[in-house]
Amino acid sequence: MTPPNPRRGADRSPAPRSRKPTMADVAAELGVSRALVSLVFRDQPGASPETRERVFEAASRLGYKPDMAARLLARGRSKVLGVLFTARNPHHVDLVEAIYPTAEELGYDLVLSAAVPSRDEHKAVEALVGHRSEALLLCGPTISEEDIADLGARLPVVVLGRHLKSAPVDIVTSYDRPGAREVVDHLVGLGHRDIAHVDGGSKPGAPERRRAYRDAMRAHGLADRIRIIPGNHTEEGGQDAARGMLADDAELPTAVFASNDQCAIGLLDVFTRAGVKIPEQVSIVGYDDSHIAGLSHIDLTTVRQDVPRLARLAVEAADEQLRGVREPGATLKLESKLVVRGTSGPPTQR
């Protein structure tokens, strides 16, 4: 029998700050062998799910991060990047398409895993890990920041399109506030005063765009016209918001800024079917400039995110982490740009 570890049940304070914690420290913390801890970090069989969870918790508690180069050398490079995306989100589809060229250029294959209504992001992520992904690229993830931090302790993670407060992962996104401000500036410049915002709830980017809308309206002296309508980043969310405005006794706003393109297309669909003329009666502006926004029958005014550049930065960030060039935790932000098309114009006189 293995003699009881004198540390078990005793003081569990973190390892001294004078040196980096090691795998041996994690093993001592739990009273198990270093070989068992090594099995867990190499994703090898031989440890129960409960043991694996205890090992990751102890590593997080001690601040231990396995040396990535050593791990890859031990198990052999798979040269596979796992990509999480939402199947129904056109912006995510655009990102996936743009990720391929840079991944191929740097010698990586991709494994894709989609989040759909019947399959949540946790299952989608675990599928990527199970396919020996060396690093994960998460497109607009909605899982908790704690879950993302846990993933970052297991392997390199790059988050696209979501702002995080403290998770030790790389973040690649756009500046949401300037883009949203540009939308309000554009609509006010056309003569609009009754500008509503259909928000995206807690979806990635939505809180920043909502705050920017409020700030921009106040800056234009329109604080008393601020109107935020609950929504989400789906066509259904936009459709529900449009139906609510049509059923309201109040006049329709002369312009609506939707939190993303999908929401804007839902608005466009319901308003058009109800006989509301776009943009003569209501101007509609989206956000993302996904590939469907530029279709001739959509022709949506929207904020363009630089998808090719976002994708390249994300793949390069994952590659740098895997090669040990730097530690994770970088935040890379790109400028966005308003693209004016046919769904926005001057308001008609009421």
Side-chain angles (χ1 to χ4, degrees):
M1 291 180 60
T2 302
N5 189 297
R7 291 189 58 193
R8 190 181 298 178
D11 179 23
R12 293 183 178 272
S13 58
R17 294 188 179 183
S18 59
R19 64 176 180 84
K20 287 186 177 181
T22 66
M23 193 178 294
D25 293 325
V26 177
E29 175 80 0
L30 296 173
V32 300
S33 69
R34 185 184 183 284
L36 180 60
V37 175
S38 177
L39 284 177
V40 172
F41 281 113
R42 288 187 289 115
D43 292 327
Q44 297 295 311
S48 68
E50 293 78 12
T51 298
R52 290 178 180 274
E53 184 175 350
R54 289 178 60 218
V55 168
F56 288 129
E57 287 177 352
S60 176
R61 193 162 58 240
L62 294 172
Y64 169 71
K65 292 184 179 179
D67 180 77
M68 190 57 59
R71 284 176 58 192
L72 294 174
L73 182 62
R75 73 178 186 177
R77 293 292 301 267
S78 69
K79 296 292 285 185
V80 170
L81 301 179
V83 182
L84 168 74
F85 69 106
T86 301
R88 294 187 177 184
N89 189 322
H91 178 59
H92 289 188
V93 174
D94 292 346
L95 281 170
V96 169
E97 183 177 330
I99 286 169
Y100 270 101
T102 303
E104 183 176 344
E105 176 186 325
L106 295 179
Y108 292 97
D109 291 323
L110 297 184
V111 173
L112 308 182
S113 190
V116 298
S118 60
R119 183 175 187 255
D120 65 22
E121 288 184 355
H122 290 95
K123 290 182 179 179
V125 166
E126 287 307 316
L128 293 173
V129 174
H131 280 86
R132 296 188 68 223
S133 299
E134 291 187 351
L136 300 182
L137 308 182
L138 309 181
C139 299
T142 60
I143 56 178
S144 71
E145 187 163 339
E146 291 76 15
D147 288 338
I148 293 174
D150 288 343
L151 277 174
R154 297 167 62 184
L155 73 173
V157 172
V158 181
V159 171
L160 292 94
R162 177 178 170 184
H163 304 269
L164 300 174
K165 294 180 180 178
S166 58
V169 300
D170 285 346
I171 298 169
V172 178
T173 188
S174 299
Y175 289 101
D176 287 303
R177 292 178 65 83
R181 171 61 189 260
E182 195 174 3
V183 170
V184 177
D185 290 348
H186 166 67
L187 293 171
V188 171
L190 290 172
H192 293 278
R193 296 295 179 269
D194 293 321
I195 305 168
H197 176 55
V198 178
D199 79 356
S202 60
K203 296 295 184 181
E208 292 77 19
R209 295 166 199 177
R210 182 168 56 245
R211 286 194 294 268
Y213 159 78
R214 284 199 185 101
D215 291 346
M217 291 290 283
R218 293 189 185 105
H220 284 287
L222 300 174
D224 59 332
R225 305 290 184 93
I226 292 174
R227 182 180 178 188
I228 296 176
I229 301 167
N232 60 49
H233 286 174
T234 64
E235 291 181 29
E236 292 80 5
Q239 290 168 341
D240 290 343
R243 293 188 188 102
M245 283 185 271
L246 289 168
D248 197 337
D249 291 335
E251 280 191 309
L252 288 174
T254 63
V256 180
F257 167 36
S259 191
N260 80 338
D261 288 351
Q262 280 184 281
C263 180
I265 289 169
L267 289 163
L268 187 63
D269 174 61
V270 170
F271 280 145
T272 301
R273 291 175 186 273
V276 177
K277 294 181 179 180
I278 310 295
E280 291 83 2
Q281 290 177 269
V282 178
S283 287
I284 296 176
V285 181
Y287 201 106
D288 285 339
D289 196 26
S290 53
H291 64 276
I292 58 176
L295 297 177
S296 60
H297 66 288
I298 303 291
D299 201 28
L300 180 68
T301 295
T302 183
V303 176
R304 174 178 294 164
Q305 299 197 66
D306 189 345
V307 168
R309 184 63 177 153
L310 289 169
R312 170 166 285 278
L313 288 175
V315 176
E316 290 177 344
D319 178 62
E320 288 175 2
Q321 287 191 56
L322 287 167
R323 290 189 291 111
V325 174
R326 59 173 178 79
E327 292 292 316
T331 297
L332 308 171
K333 291 188 177 183
L334 298 180
E335 299 293 338
S336 54
K337 180 183 179 181
L338 182 70
V339 179
V340 178
R341 297 194 180 101
T343 60
S344 63
T348 56
Q349 294 297 321
R350 290 177 171 173

